[in-house]
Amino acid sequence: MAVASVTAPAAGAQIVSESSEELSSDSIRRAMDNGPYFGLYKDNYFIFGTSVGPKPTKENTNIKFQISIAQRLTKSVMPWHSYLFLFYSQKCFWNVLENSMPMTDLNFNPGIGLAKPLFVKNRFIGKALLLLEHESNGRDGTASRSWNKVSLAANIMIDPNFIVHGKVWLPIIDGVENKDILDYCGIYQVGTSFTTINKRFGASVILTKRKGWKLNYNTVIELNYRIFPRDNQYLFLQYYNGYGEGLLAYKEFHSQLRVGIVIKPTLFSEY
């Protein structure tokens, strides 16, 4: 039989079973309670690339990397059998081809949240999250960017190889210089991810709806290929098309293709 592994909502606790259908509510909760408290949250990647469309230059060719971790704070004693966790993500744009190789934009995203595993007929199908997030770039003056979100998110397994996810947020915009950030960074997002049966190849699409009634989405397409069957390292391709890729230049349109390496959470990647 195929082997399936499941990651706990926040901290990477794993349970291994012969079949995903055998992952009952009791076995999932037991694995989450007894597993490690610390783990990955979003994808951790290091990628290099340039613009698509405009002529590549030193200014529009860069490295983008992201570090993302989570710390589970409780066992399943919170309301609704949920888990309280802290998370922290940091995204950086590094112009390595320019003189002095400046890191042009650093985005910081700490937060706290509740994660609840979801079950249908005693079968694990995904998780729901309630999050309080802050995102800023640590700058002052006219370069300062900052906002907060109360977010509700969910990841649902249609089958062991196909996941759909969504996230909607209530914004609290405290940054003076980015009052119009919803016009560029959006009001909700939806997406889907697919992996092959042997877990070697995966693909995902993430759509973030910008404010307004038009069909204006920021689009991310990602492909990943596991380098070695037992390792959690993948060759990674990411295509970004839209606004809000980074906070400093959130009003600028970017169409960027980058390749590199990604380390992924065992089951769910947060976005």
Side-chain angles (χ1 to χ4, degrees):
M1 294 183 179
V3 175
S5 62
V6 174
T7 303
Q14 297 178 12
I15 179 170
V16 178
S17 173
E18 290 183 348
S19 169
S20 61
E21 285 76 13
E22 297 174 7
L23 298 177
S24 67
S25 59
D26 289 340
S27 62
I28 289 289
R29 291 194 178 103
R30 184 167 55 250
M32 292 174 178
D33 289 344
N34 297 332
Y37 281 78
F38 181 79
L40 302 182
Y41 181 55
K42 300 181 181 180
D43 287 350
N44 288 250
Y45 57 75
F46 192 90
I47 51 179
F48 173 80
T50 190
S51 65
V52 177
K55 180 181 178 180
T57 65
K58 293 181 180 180
E59 289 73 26
N60 61 23
T61 302
N62 59 20
I63 287 173
K64 177 183 178 183
F65 64 86
Q66 178 171 275
I67 299 169
S68 184
I69 54 176
Q71 173 73 24
R72 178 163 59 88
L73 301 177
T74 64
K75 292 190 175 182
S76 55
V77 294
M78 302 296 292
W80 312 294
H81 295 285
S82 61
Y83 299 81
L84 182 67
F85 67 99
L86 292 171
F87 62 87
Y88 176 76
S89 300
Q90 182 172 311
K91 183 169 57 180
C92 177
F93 298 85
W94 186 10
N95 286 30
V96 293
L97 300 183
E98 295 187 49
N99 292 335
S100 78
M101 297 189 295
M103 292 188 176
T104 56
D105 194 11
L106 282 167
N107 297 173
F108 307 94
N109 179 209
I112 189 169
L114 287 172
K116 175 181 172 53
L118 301 176
F119 303 93
V120 171
K121 296 181 180 179
N122 203 38
R123 183 175 66 89
F124 178 67
I125 64 163
K127 66 178 179 182
L129 304 101
L130 178 63
L131 310 169
L132 177 60
E133 303 182 64
H134 171 77
E135 189 174 20
S136 62
N137 65 346
R139 305 280 287 271
D140 58 10
T142 58
S144 175
R145 309 283 188 267
S146 177
W147 67 321
N148 307 283
K149 295 184 286 187
V150 180
S151 304
L152 181 64
N155 297 272
I156 304 297
M157 298 172 61
I158 304 302
D159 64 44
N161 305 110
F162 183 57
I163 296 172
V164 295
H165 56 85
K167 185 177 182 181
V168 62
W169 48 82
L170 174 66
I172 306 169
I173 303 172
D174 56 353
V176 175
E177 302 296 331
N178 54 265
K179 292 297 185 181
D180 59 351
I181 195 168
L182 297 182
D183 295 337
Y184 301 90
C185 294
I187 53 177
Y188 69 84
Q189 70 180 28
V190 293
T192 184
S193 62
F194 167 81
T195 57
T196 55
I197 294 176
N198 63 7
K199 306 299 181 183
R200 293 296 296 272
F201 176 78
S204 65
V205 177
I206 306 103
L207 302 174
T208 302
K209 176 66 175 68
R210 301 194 294 271
K211 185 179 177 180
W213 295 104
K214 297 180 180 179
L215 295 177
N216 50 355
Y217 289 87
N218 300 328
T219 303
V220 182
I221 299 173
E222 297 178 340
L223 304 176
N224 52 266
Y225 180 78
R226 190 190 297 265
I227 301 173
F228 301 106
R230 296 184 179 275
D231 288 350
N232 191 25
Q233 299 179 32
Y234 299 78
L235 297 176
F236 186 53
L237 180 147
Q238 183 190 78
Y239 173 63
Y240 190 99
N241 181 274
Y243 297 87
E245 185 178 25
L247 283 179
L248 183 62
Y250 72 95
K251 294 184 181 182
E252 296 181 11
F253 178 84
H254 291 108
S255 182
Q256 301 283 138
L257 182 66
R258 301 181 180 93
V259 295
I261 297 292
V262 64
I263 302 172
K264 301 179 75 66
T266 304
L267 185 58
F268 296 121
S269 295
E270 302 299 337
Y271 298 96

